[in-house]
Amino acid sequence: MSRTLGRLRRLFGGSALCSRRTHLVPTARALELGGEVRAIAARAGGLFEPPQVTDPATAVRIFDLQISDAMSMPFTPALLEDLWDSVPGLTVQLHPESTEAVPALREALVDLEIGDISRHEREIQVQALAMDVFVAAVHRTHPLSTPPLVTPEQFAAAAHVTIS
């Protein structure tokens, strides 16, 4: 206790307690700081309390969903229906998939991202929802139309037209 009082004396430029007969009493400076110290201690104590559980049926909030165009059509209608059934006060904002260097989910700019899982950070939980199968169309006279199976190297070497 003596060391703690010594540190307080150095920090505040004087004693926090003074001796009165058989016991210690706070100094005027300690009484002046008491309210602020209690407020700081209460805020610090709040860090260790369990989070309050919110009832989804009464929650009112905005939910930001980043979703790729390809995934939007198959997932959005059913997802929104499920969300609004369980959380009627929810407003969902849809954001297009971003090509930014910093993922929006990692920066807490969105609450959920549905899209390409190949670029996730290890602190982000990922679950596969679907798998895409890509189909290439070529004219029957094109060199790639004759082999029974096109290799990745053959496909990569060919000219491409894509729709985005």
Side-chain angles (χ1 to χ4, degrees):
M1 182 57 101
S2 294
R3 276 189 261 164
T4 301
L5 289 173
R7 283 194 302 268
L8 289 172
R9 191 176 307 113
R10 285 188 300 279
L11 284 170
F12 293 109
S15 291
L17 299 171
C18 58
S19 179
R20 291 279 192 253
R21 294 188 189 151
T22 59
H23 59 283
L24 297 173
V25 295
T27 63
R29 177 73 174 139
L31 292 171
E32 179 184 309
L33 295 172
E36 185 63 29
V37 169
R38 277 189 290 284
I40 290 169
R43 286 194 306 269
L47 294 173
F48 301 103
E49 292 178 12
Q52 293 181 359
V53 178
T54 304
D55 179 11
T58 60
V60 176
R61 74 171 290 240
I62 296 172
F63 187 84
D64 290 288
L65 169 62
Q66 180 172 300
I67 188 163
S68 68
D69 290 342
M71 302 302 272
S72 181
M73 292 305 290
F75 287 105
T76 305
L79 178 63
L80 292 178
E81 188 175 326
D82 287 348
L83 284 172
W84 287 330
D85 282 348
S86 57
V87 189
L90 188 68
T91 299
V92 178
Q93 293 182 340
L94 298 175
H95 303 273
E97 190 171 34
S98 176
T99 57
E100 297 171 7
V102 179
L105 191 59
R106 183 175 186 207
E107 296 298 317
L109 301 173
V110 298
D111 299 298
L112 176 67
E113 178 181 355
I114 299 177
D116 180 11
I117 63 168
S118 64
R119 59 178 176 83
H120 71 278
E121 306 294 326
R122 68 174 175 232
E123 68 270 14
I124 295 174
Q125 184 177 351
V126 176
Q127 181 176 346
L129 298 175
M131 197 162 178
D132 280 338
V133 176
F134 291 95
V135 177
V138 297
H139 190 273
R140 67 176 170 258
T141 61
H142 191 278
L144 293 181
S145 67
T146 54
L149 192 62
V150 177
T151 67
E153 294 78 20
Q154 290 171 314
F155 181 77
H160 297 85
V161 175
T162 62
I163 298 171
S164 176

